[in-house]
Amino acid sequence: MQDTGWLGWIWFAGIMMIVMGAFNAIEGLVGLFRGEYYVANGEQVIVFDLTTWGWITLLLGVLVVVAGAALLSGAAWARVLTVILAAVNAVAQLAFVSVHPLWSTIVITLCVVVIWAVVVHGNEAAATLESSSR
């Protein structure tokens, strides 16, 4: 099978997942070490205290980076994991809308684009990987 130009969308999705995961990890670390940075309404973001939210965001960031790296390898399970984690990441960013509305909107939009790229063009990555292994 011949490579198509659409395969670049899978590479884009993988790289964006790595970048978004790194940013999530940074958000989590800031929540852990400089919690006052995120305080917009009392001491809680949604339902957690800032330390718990920092750990959750840090863990989510690490998982998103791993999913992005796995997506670049072309693994079928990575496409499923990427869609799930991008959706979770988009929902998690809703917690930051009141604190950083522009940033949250950008990340949510990128999550939607990543989901679209993987769902629409994921089979092309698998087909290319199969044809290159022959």
Side-chain angles (χ1 to χ4, degrees), residues 70-71 73-82 118 122-123 125-126 129-130:
L71 185 62
S73 75
W77 62 267
R79 295 192 314 255
V80 173
L81 183 63
T82 296
V118 171
N123 288 335
L129 185 65
E130 286 175 11

Side-chain angles (χ1 to χ4, degrees), residues 81-106:
L81 183 63
T82 296
V83 169
I84 291 169
L85 287 176
V88 168
N89 190 27
V91 171
Q93 288 299 317
L94 290 174
F96 286 100
V97 168
S98 63
V99 181
H100 300 291
L102 181 62
W103 175 253
S104 294
T105 304
I106 290 169

Side-chain angles (χ1 to χ4, degrees), residues 1 15 20 29-30 39 47 60 62 64 67 71 74 76 79 91 105-106 108 110 116 127 132 134:
M1 177 174 238
I15 292 168
M20 286 187 299
L29 289 172
V30 169
V39 175
V47 294
L60 180 62
V62 170
V64 169
L71 185 62
R79 295 192 314 255
V91 171
T105 304
I106 290 169
I108 291 168
L110 283 174
W116 173 82
S132 66
R134 292 182 196 165

